[in-house]
């Protein structure tokens, strides 16, 4: 993981989130930014210089898997307590704040887990302004605060926790035993909003429109008069990164788009038209379809497919980049979740997405420096930035799409014909789902299975391909549920595919969640 190097900072007050190993640390940062307040996640033991560089205006201590009273448990740095800044402790963070400030934390007899009724006892506390007396909150803890530290008062309770929230208004230190960042906590957003605005008095000044100017300046300083290259994949991250860098260095940026023939219907044309004709970027479009098909000839194993595609992609990219003199920089669309020094293990999806972004080993081989203008942004911020930069909606709101493209959706051997069949089925499925499903699923597509089955069409017996449709709801691809598509939509997809696409006589719908299944079939 690309970590530990000093980052060029957004010159803005920051809510520093100290990560004690919570599952939800990134989510807290996203929620804070949704309140238009800039935030970053740092490990709980980050050196004070690291914290200070970020101009901290307030701290949030996250939850974590440990018990604050266990030997070797992670503790809040003294300097944070001494900083005089407002502090919000969540779950483990609250217990740690209580412990550090001189209170008592003991194991609870009953572990409290899941949804519970939160009762506010101090309705006039600034952190609970506008929060109803009773609401649902989401809890997950084994320990509990029994004696409050000096200066603190209890602000809320639940049936099993006498102190479900505590606060010291003098110092602006607050603790919440529940998780305000998760959707199940009904008033969570309001509580976070109150902490940021009413307790810490922070301005809502984090917006993509104001991010652009600073980012352009930073890129100009980094790249100077050198040339840079960027591999455009058609995805939103590389598209936004390239457009932002082009704002800074204009035609000194060359974009290379490798058409590996594994994109969806109309996609390659759209990328070329958008970047060349609408955004006027310096674009080299390489038609490498035959080369990739040849390399993939007869390959069935998905991992093998991925390896071949990665290798060919780098080879093609390198061949074209070599001709450009003076290139010193490679632009990549790395996002904040890949950068955070997380205390929790990276998921399979996260890790995968990263290897794709990193164009495997290229920077070292070509002796290129990295320009990663999105490394402090979350995906939804990248989309907002894309809109600000004038990128067309289909690119800004493009669904996640695997780097190896349709190669992982044509199961079994890949041929031109099978790709063409899948492309048509996929276009039909996407068209019908977009038109008929509300809410629109997070990701949806067709898969060409290696199965053939018997059918009957007119007076003829058929023996042809089976296509599967996948549509899921998800937040980030790490977990997903299958979408309850209306029967009419499924009906329309099935009828159209079987009637319009030769070689397909059966359509099935995938009703498995992730876990235990994955989103892609491979
Ligand atoms: P799975 O199949 O692991 O996919 O449940 C989770 C999410 O990741 C996408 N995906 C990829 N994205 N390169 C990518 O950039 C890849 O190799 C890759 N494989 C899967 C997938 O579409 C889903 O959104």
């Amino acid at each position: 993981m690309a970590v530990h190097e000093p980052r060029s900072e957004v010159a803005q007050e920051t809510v520093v989130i100290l990560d004690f190993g919570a599952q939800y640390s990134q989510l807290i940062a996203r929620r804070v930014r949704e309140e238009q307040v800039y935030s970053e996640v740092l490990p709980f033991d980050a050196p004070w210089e690291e914290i200070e560089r970020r101009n901290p205006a307030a701290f949030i201590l996250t939850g974590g898997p440990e018990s604050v009273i266990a030997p070797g448990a992670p503790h809040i740095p003294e300097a944070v307590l001494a900083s005089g800044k407002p502090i919000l402790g969540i779950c483990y963070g609250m217990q740690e704040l209580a412990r550090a400030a001189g209170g008592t934390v003991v194991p609870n007899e009953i572990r409290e887990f899941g949804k519970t009724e939160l009762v506010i006892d101090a309705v006039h506390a600034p952190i609970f302004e506008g929060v109803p007396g009773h609401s649902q909150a989401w809890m997950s803890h084994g320990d509990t605060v029994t004696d409050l530290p000096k200066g603190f008062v209890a602000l809320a309770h639940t049936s099993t926790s006498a102190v479900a929230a505590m606060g010291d208004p003098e110092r602006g230190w607050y603790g919440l035993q529940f998780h305000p960042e998760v959707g199940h906590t009904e008033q969570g957003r309001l509580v976070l909003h109150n902490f940021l605005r009413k307790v810490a008095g922070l301005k809502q000044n984090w917006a993509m429109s104001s991010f652009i100017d600073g980012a352009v300046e930073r890129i100009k300083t980094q790249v100077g008069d050198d040339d840079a290259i960027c591999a455009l994949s058609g995805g939103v991250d590389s598209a936004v990164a390239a457009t932002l860098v082009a704002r800074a260095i204009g035609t000194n940026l060359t974009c290379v788009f490798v058409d590996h023939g594994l994109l969806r219907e109309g996609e390659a044309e759209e990328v070329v038209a958008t970047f060349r004709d609408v955004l006027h970027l310096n674009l080299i479009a390489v038609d490498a379809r035959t080369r990739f098909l040849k390399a993939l000839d007869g390959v069935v194993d998905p991992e093998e497919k991925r390896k071949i595609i990665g290798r060919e992609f780098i080879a093609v990219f390198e061949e074209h980049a070599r001709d450009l003199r003076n290139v010193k920089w490679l632009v990549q669309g790395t996002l904040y979740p890949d950068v955070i020094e997380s205390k929790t293990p990276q998921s399979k999806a996260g890790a995968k997405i990263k290897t794709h972004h990193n164009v495997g080993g290229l920077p070292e081989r070509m002796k290129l420096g990295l320009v990663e203008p999105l490394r402090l942004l979350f995906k939804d911020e990248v989309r907002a930035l894309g809109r600000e930069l004038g990128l067309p909606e289909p690119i800004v709101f493009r669904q996640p799409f695997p780097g190896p493209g349709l190669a992982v959706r044509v199961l079994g051997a890949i041929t031109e014909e099978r790709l063409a069949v899948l492309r048509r089925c996929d276009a039909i499925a996407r068209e019908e789902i977009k038109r008929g499903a509300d809410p629109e699923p997070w990701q949806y597509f067709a898969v060409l299975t290696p199965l053939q089955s018997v059918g009957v069409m007119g007076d003829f017996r058929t023996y042809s391909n089976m296509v599967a449709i996948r549509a899921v709801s998800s937040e980030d691809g790490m977990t997903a549920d299958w979408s309850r598509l209306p029967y009419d939509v499924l009906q329309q997809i099935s009828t159209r595919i079987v009637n319009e696409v030769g070689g397909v006589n059966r359509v099935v719908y995938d009703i498995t969640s992730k876990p235990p299944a994955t989103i892609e079939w491979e």
Side-chain angles (χ1 to χ4, degrees):
M1 218 195 321
V3 291
H4 288 301
E5 81 269 33
R7 289 164 214 150
S8 60
E9 294 315 313
V10 173
Q12 198 149 10
E13 281 191 325
T14 305
V15 171
V16 172
I17 297 168
L18 294 178
D19 184 4
F20 285 91
Q23 221 178 327
Y24 298 113
S25 304
Q26 285 189 35
L27 191 54
I28 301 172
R30 275 168 59 188
R31 294 281 179 261
V32 173
R33 291 196 194 177
E34 279 165 19
E35 291 295 326
Q36 291 167 276
V37 175
Y38 184 64
S39 69
E40 284 194 40
V41 180
L42 293 182
F44 73 91
D45 56 356
W48 178 249
E49 308 82 71
E50 277 286 311
I51 296 175
E52 207 175 20
R53 237 202 354 247
R54 284 159 172 89
N55 196 9
F59 292 92
I60 296 182
L61 318 177
T62 74
E66 313 255 356
S67 160
V68 298
I69 39 188
H75 293 308
I76 179 173
E78 259 316 307
V80 171
L81 293 169
S83 69
K85 305 289 179 194
I87 301 176
L88 176 67
I90 296 173
C91 195
Y92 181 95
M94 158 162 147
Q95 292 153 8
E96 174 53 17
L97 186 61
R99 189 208 57 83
T104 312
V105 178
V106 298
N108 213 6
E109 275 169 23
I110 312 167
R111 268 186 69 89
E112 205 174 6
F113 184 81
K115 260 195 205 174
T116 183
E117 185 176 36
L118 177 74
V119 185
I120 310 291
D121 302 309
V123 285
H124 298 300
I127 196 154
F128 289 132
E129 219 177 283
V131 176
H134 294 249
S135 63
Q136 294 288 321
W138 200 79
M139 295 272 201
S140 165
H141 67 116
D143 292 347
T144 189
V145 176
T146 48
D147 295 323
L148 288 168
K150 213 162 147 250
F152 278 82
V153 287
L155 305 174
H157 70 272
T158 68
S159 59
T160 44
S161 292
V163 185
M166 62 175 201
D168 172 354
E170 202 63 29
R171 288 183 283 192
W173 290 3
Y174 286 84
L176 305 173
Q177 190 55 75
F178 57 92
H179 287 270
E181 70 278 18
V182 304
H184 305 296
T185 298
E186 289 168 351
Q187 301 295 326
R189 281 173 188 241
L190 181 55
V191 173
L192 276 177
H193 171 90
N194 284 344
F195 173 73
L196 300 169
R197 303 278 297 141
K198 308 267 151 63
V199 175
L202 299 174
K203 287 194 211 72
Q204 290 176 293
N205 57 5
W206 173 245
M208 285 304 112
S209 49
S210 46
F211 172 82
I212 294 175
D213 291 345
V216 164
E217 281 314 307
R218 285 195 297 279
I219 297 164
K220 277 185 180 159
T221 312
Q222 184 182 6
V223 177
D225 291 330
D226 300 335
D227 286 349
I229 46 167
C230 179
L232 276 184
S233 65
V236 62
D237 305 342
S238 60
V240 174
T243 313
L244 188 59
V245 172
R247 274 257 175 126
I249 64 167
T251 49
N252 282 3
L253 173 70
T254 302
C255 296
V256 180
F257 169 62
V258 178
D259 181 1
H260 50 25
L262 302 164
L263 291 177
R264 291 169 292 188
E265 198 171 276
E267 233 165 16
E269 297 78 6
E270 185 186 28
V271 170
V272 174
T274 304
F275 289 93
R276 188 172 282 162
D277 308 332
V278 180
L279 298 166
H280 305 294
L281 262 64
N282 215 346
L283 180 74
I284 300 176
V286 188
D287 181 353
R289 289 177 295 179
T290 316
R291 176 177 180 153
F292 275 81
L293 261 189
K294 225 171 172 179
L296 287 165
D297 187 32
V299 180
V300 172
D301 177 60
E303 275 312 304
E304 189 63 26
K305 286 180 186 172
R306 282 175 181 276
K307 270 195 213 124
I308 292 169
I309 292 164
R311 190 188 66 210
E312 291 299 315
F313 182 86
I314 288 178
V316 174
F317 188 78
E318 230 177 343
E319 280 164 24
H320 287 269
R322 214 177 284 141
D323 302 338
L324 307 166
R325 282 160 302 138
N326 203 24
V327 170
K328 300 223 167 53
W329 301 94
L330 177 71
V331 178
Q332 289 202 331
T334 316
L335 304 192
Y336 195 42
D338 292 338
V339 175
I340 295 180
E341 295 179 49
S342 178
K343 294 276 154 187
T344 47
Q346 283 279 330
S347 81
K348 179 176 156 234
K352 261 194 212 165
I353 288 166
K354 208 163 45 206
T355 32
H356 168 59
H357 276 314
N358 284 347
V359 218
L362 203 60
E364 295 83 41
R365 259 215 338 248
M366 294 180 67
K367 300 198 171 61
L368 296 174
L370 281 181
V371 182
E372 298 181 308
L374 313 180
R375 56 183 284 120
L376 292 175
L377 304 185
F378 288 110
K379 192 83 173 188
D380 39 0
E381 293 174 321
V382 170
R383 293 195 205 279
L385 178 58
R387 280 182 123 169
E388 288 285 340
L389 291 167
L391 282 169
E393 298 276 305
I395 291 193
V396 170
F397 289 103
R398 192 173 183 260
Q399 290 178 32
F401 187 63
L406 299 182
V408 296
R409 295 183 183 167
V410 169
L411 307 193
I414 299 170
T415 62
E416 186 75 66
E417 295 72 38
R418 286 174 61 77
L419 278 169
V421 167
L422 175 62
R423 257 192 215 109
R424 204 66 281 283
C425 297
D426 183 65
I428 292 172
R430 284 192 295 130
E431 193 182 315
E432 293 300 332
I433 293 172
K434 192 165 183 57
R435 193 193 348 249
D438 185 20
E440 189 179 337
W442 186 76
Q443 189 176 15
Y444 47 98
F445 52 87
V447 176
L448 182 60
T449 77
L451 292 176
Q452 302 207 303
S453 71
V454 175
V456 55
M457 267 177 158
D459 293 332
F460 296 97
R461 180 184 179 277
T462 59
Y463 188 65
S464 53
N465 292 300
M466 185 174 96
V467 163
I469 308 298
R470 184 84 162 129
V472 294
S473 58
S474 177
E475 275 251 337
D476 47 18
M478 291 176 194
T479 59
D481 195 10
W482 60 279
S483 298
R484 274 56 170 177
L485 292 181
Y487 283 169
D488 291 352
V489 172
L490 291 170
Q491 162 71 50
Q492 194 60 17
I493 293 171
S494 142
T495 309
R496 279 194 59 195
I497 286 180
V498 176
N499 286 344
E500 293 176 29
V501 189
V504 179
N505 68 351
R506 196 176 292 270
V507 178
V508 298
Y509 187 52
D510 183 348
I511 51 164
T512 338
S513 62
K514 171 184 179 176
T518 50
I519 296 177
E520 302 290 344
W521 281 35
E522 308 219 12

